[in-house]
Amino acid sequence: MKALVYKSTGSWYVVKNEVHQTFNARIKGVFKIDEITSTNPIAVGDEVEIEIENTAENTAVITNIYDRKNYIARATPHHNKERHIIASNLDQLLLFATLKEPRTSQGFIDRFLVASEAFHVPPVIVFNKADLYKKKEMQLFEERKNMYVEIGYTVLLTSMQTGEGADDLKNILLNKTTLISGHSGVGKSTFINAIVPELKLRTRDVSGWSGKGMHTTTFAEMFDLPFSGRIIDTPGLREFALTDITQQELSHYFPEMRERLSECQFNNCIHVNEPGCAVKKAVENGKISEERYISYYNILSSIEDKNY
Ligand SMILES: Nc1nc2c(ncn2[C@@H]2O[C@H](COP(=O)(O)OP(=O)(O)O)[C@@H](O)[C@H]2O)c(=O)[nH]1
Ligand SMILES: [Mg+2]
Ligand SMILES: [Zn+2]
């Protein structure tokens, strides 16, 4: 029978069938999946075929995996070329960011957006902790919101304290499978607890955990929402993999650059020192934000040039 993977620990999987029965499953046999090298054969969000092993103990074996619509991966720490699939079959990525306690850097947000473009999963950016924003942060929020909305992204302002933005956020999650990510301390667990009350995920307040200097390897887990939809929590996840992106490709993942590429004088332009560059001209004219260009340049510099 068909089932969906809700949790993966590497050797065991929690799966649910179409009538919402839960099984602990393991893999039988060897899977050849996609054309990618990954450290894990099966991930949260995968649709799999299972055979029940023991009805009393609710155990099953996974005998097959169906094609993935998409997936998102992180780089593995010691193996730049290898990927670890975080989750698959996603409708959207939800980035939780904050402008205070702590402030999420623009660079981090833009790297997230590049990953979402590269993996072909649309992003939504949420600025949380609105209740803490004073005039300065509100001004910054408006600037960033305008900048991102202009290039086609959805931006929300929320507060888990006051409930501001909660309805808009719920509407965005409705009927979709959403992967939530963001730095530690921005309010992801607080948010998931608020929409799935019976969960009681550990938040920083409850645990008293400082979050500093601790390396926890936890696993992605999917939850059914009380209204229709699913959310995938990714505790401990730092960043998505940008490992396969070449310097040549990078500007394709900035929508405001992508639409101007054909106007660059050289078709292999990387928009740094080339004459007749339409991207640099747009930055000079204020049509492309300088902050976005800086993010582009920083990511470009971090990519090994595979052409040389
Ligand atoms: N003032 C304020 N605090 C919040 C808000 N959302 C979460 N927090 C607090 O921020 C801290 C970190 O939240 P947590 O959900 O554990 O963050 P996570 O690491 O992203 O899962 C906790 O003390 C929360 O109570 C918010 O909207 N406003
Ligand atoms: Mg958390
Ligand atoms: Zn150019």
Side-chain angles (χ1 to χ4, degrees), residues 8 87 97 228-229 233 243 261 268 281 283:
S8 148
S228 179
D233 188 22
T243 46
L261 296 179
N268 61 352
K281 198 171 130 206
V283 176

Side-chain angles (χ1 to χ4, degrees), residues 93-112:
L93 302 178
L94 182 64
L95 179 68
F96 253 59
T98 42
L99 295 175
K100 210 175 178 185
E101 294 183 23
R103 177 178 295 187
T104 308
S105 74
Q106 166 122 27
F108 181 79
I109 296 174
D110 287 333
R111 288 179 75 88
F112 166 89

Side-chain angles (χ1 to χ4, degrees), residues 96 98 100-102 127-132 158-164 180-193 201-207 209 233 235:
F96 253 59
T98 42
K100 210 175 178 185
E101 294 183 23
F127 287 96
N128 188 37
K129 305 200 182 183
D131 57 288
L132 301 178
T158 64
S159 166
M160 297 306 130
Q161 202 95 321
T162 66
E164 178 174 359
I180 182 170
S181 69
H183 280 314
S184 167
V186 296
K188 299 180 298 293
S189 301
T190 307
F191 169 62
I192 298 173
N193 284 339
L201 293 181
R202 197 170 58 156
T203 64
R204 195 177 283 188
D205 266 357
V206 176
S207 67
W209 170 58
D233 188 22

